[in-house]
Amino acid sequence: AQSVTQLGSHVSVSEGALVLLRCNYSSSVPPYLFWYVQYPNQGLQLLLKYTTGATLVKGINGFEAEFKKSETSFHLTKPSAHMSDAAEYFCAVSSPGTYKYIFGTGTRLKVLA
Amino acid sequence: EAQVTQNPRYLITVTGKKLTVTCSQNMNHEYMSWYRQDPGLGLRQIYYSMNVEVTDKGDVPEGYKVSRKEKRNFPLILESPSPNQTSLYFCASTTPGGTEAFFGQGTRLTVV
C-alpha cells in the first residue's frame, strides 16, 4: 500500500527566506509524485510533478522538488518566500496506470512580513 | 481551457434530505473521482469511475452514491446526509495514465 507523510502541519517562514516543505512516501513500485497548492476558498492547483526522467522538477511560482529514491522523499523548496505563497500544500503519490492519488495531511505555510 | 466544474460551491442542508453535487469536465477524460477533505486528514477518495457506467468504491464510500451516465459528468449523491458528512468535497478528472489530476473548486457541505 502507498502512503504519504508530510512533516509539520504548520510551517512559518519570513518573507524572503527559504521555504522547505517535507514529504516522504511509501510505495512498492516506482511512484508518481505530486505537490498541489490550495489557496483559501479555492480548489487544488498542481505545483509540480515527477513521473519519469529528471529527478529535479521545477514547477510554477518558483517552486521545485527533488525525487530522492534512496530517501523516499520529495521535498518542496523555494529559495525566497513571498507573501502570496501563504497557502496549504499537499503532497500526493500515485502509481503508473492506477489513477488513485494518496494525499498527505497537508502543510499550512505562513509567510511573515 | 481545461476545467472541472462543481456545483454548488456551498450548501447547507438538514439531516436526511437527499442532495446531489454535480461535477462536469471538458477534457474528455475517462477517469474521474470524488474526494473529501477534512482537517488533519488530507484528501480521501470516496468513489471513482474508470469510464461510463463503470464506478467503484474508494476509501470512504459509506453514505455516498455516484453515477456515470455520460463521460463528462460524475455526480455525487448523498441520499440521507448526516452531520459526519459535513466536509469539503472535490471532484477530480485525471489524464490517461494518471499523470495529472485536475480538481474542481470544491463544494463546502454542512449538514445540520
Side-chain angles (χ1 to χ4, degrees):
Chain A
Q2 294 179 310
S3 65
V4 173
T5 301
Q6 289 184 242
L7 293 175
S9 57
H10 292 81
V11 171
S12 294
V13 299
S14 298
E15 192 174 19
L18 171 73
V19 175
L20 170 60
L21 303 183
R22 298 179 187 274
C23 173
N24 288 89
Y25 70 91
S26 172
S27 179
S28 58
V29 297
Y32 288 168
L33 294 161
F34 308 86
W35 276 100
Y36 281 86
V37 61
Q38 184 180 31
Y39 298 103
N41 298 316
Q42 294 190 26
L44 280 78
Q45 179 183 6
L46 182 68
L47 270 180
L48 49 79
K49 64 180 179 181
Y50 168 80
T51 53
T52 58
T55 56
L56 180 61
V57 180
K58 295 186 185 298
I60 61 172
N61 302 337
F63 285 94
E64 63 180 40
E66 187 171 9
F67 168 54
K68 292 188 176 181
K69 182 179 178 181
S70 61
E71 299 177 8
T72 60
S73 69
F74 192 57
H75 302 329
L76 182 70
T77 62
K78 181 174 180 178
S80 177
H82 192 273
M83 298 297 288
S84 61
D85 295 326
E88 189 157 23
Y89 293 79
F90 291 94
C91 181
V93 65
S94 180
S95 296
T98 64
Y99 296 92
K100 180 178 178 179
Y101 286 31
I102 303 297
F103 285 85
T105 52
T107 297
R108 189 169 297 278
L109 176 66
K110 186 175 182 179
V111 182
L112 307 171
Chain B
E1 179 191 355
Q3 216 165 17
V4 178
T5 304
Q6 289 179 232
N7 280 295
R9 290 289 311 278
Y10 302 91
L11 180 59
I12 301 175
T13 191
V14 296
T15 299
K17 186 177 181 181
K18 181 179 179 179
L19 66 91
T20 300
V21 183
T22 64
C23 173
S24 182
Q25 52 99 357
N26 64 358
M27 295 164 280
N28 202 37
H29 290 160
E30 293 181 345
Y31 189 93
M32 298 182 71
S33 53
W34 277 100
Y35 291 83
R36 62 178 287 174
Q37 181 184 357
D38 300 291
L41 297 177
L43 282 81
R44 295 175 292 167
Q45 192 183 61
I46 303 170
Y47 265 94
Y48 66 92
S49 171
M50 297 291 288
N51 211 330
V52 175
E53 303 291 2
V54 181
T55 63
D56 207 348
K57 297 176 181 178
D59 296 320
V60 288
E62 292 77 22
Y64 304 95
K65 283 179 57 177
V66 292
S67 70
R68 188 89 180 274
K69 297 188 185 333
E70 307 165 276
K71 186 182 271 192
R72 65 182 292 118
N73 296 323
F74 189 44
L76 179 69
I77 303 157
L78 285 72
E79 295 208 320
S80 184
S82 62
N84 64 12
Q85 293 179 297
T86 292
S87 188
L88 180 58
Y89 291 86
F90 288 102
C91 179
S93 179
T94 306
T95 57
T99 54
E100 186 171 346
F102 293 82
F103 286 84
Q105 291 290 85
T107 296
R108 187 167 293 280
L109 173 65
T110 302
V111 183
V112 298

